[in-house]
Amino acid sequence: MAQTLSVPSRFNGPLERGHGGYSSAVIAEFVEGQPEVTLRSPVPLDTPLEVERQDGAVRVLDGETLIAEAAPIPELELEVPPAVDVEQARIAKTRYRGSTDDLFSHCFVCGRAREDALGVFAGTVEGR
């Protein structure tokens, strides 16, 4: 039996498409180990998408359209910069350039026109 996944409309990025981060996380669940997900097409919402597995890799399809590919990768080694303090974060939030009337205004993560958005309003941090 073929496996499927679906991204609920609540988790949109641009209107009528899945939020890239959320969609990638849903797809990553089909990969064993540390996943790398590459979105190839906008992710349709509330649509059963076919999940194909082969040799540890995953392909997600909407009919003939390739939506995403995912595969395990070696553990990443990254130098993570130090976190900003609360005051720097508050100031950076005021520099967020998102609008209440654009393609992303109703985004699940950063939508200013959406009351249930996660409220991630990332702006520039001075000196970075």
Side-chain angles (χ1 to χ4, degrees):
M1 178 177 215
Q3 288 186 296
T4 62
L5 66 86
S6 181
V7 174
S9 61
R10 172 174 184 245
F11 301 109
N12 69 291
L15 290 177
E16 300 180 24
R17 297 294 178 205
H19 181 273
Y22 180 88
S23 299
S24 294
V26 170
I27 295 163
E29 290 291 319
F30 288 87
V31 177
E32 290 187 31
Q34 176 91 20
E36 176 182 62
V37 177
T38 304
L39 298 177
R40 300 293 184 190
S41 299
V43 180
L45 297 167
D46 294 323
T47 302
L49 303 173
E50 183 181 353
V51 177
E52 292 182 349
R53 295 175 185 250
Q54 185 175 9
D55 300 325
V58 171
R59 289 170 32 103
V60 178
L61 300 152
D62 181 17
E64 298 293 317
T65 303
L66 178 61
I67 300 299
E69 296 175 298
I73 59 170
E75 192 71 30
L76 291 175
E77 291 187 29
L78 301 172
E79 285 192 41
V80 179
V84 298
D85 62 39
V86 173
E87 186 57 28
Q88 288 175 308
R90 285 186 180 126
I91 293 168
K93 182 178 177 179
T94 67
R95 296 183 181 129
Y96 176 65
R97 296 185 297 200
S99 168
T100 57
D101 188 27
D102 68 6
L103 181 63
F104 295 95
S105 61
H106 291 276
C107 173
F108 167 65
V109 174
C110 64
R112 287 193 178 219
R114 186 170 169 167
E115 288 186 27
D116 67 340
L118 292 182
V120 178
F121 304 131
T124 59
V125 174
E126 204 165 310
R128 291 197 182 193

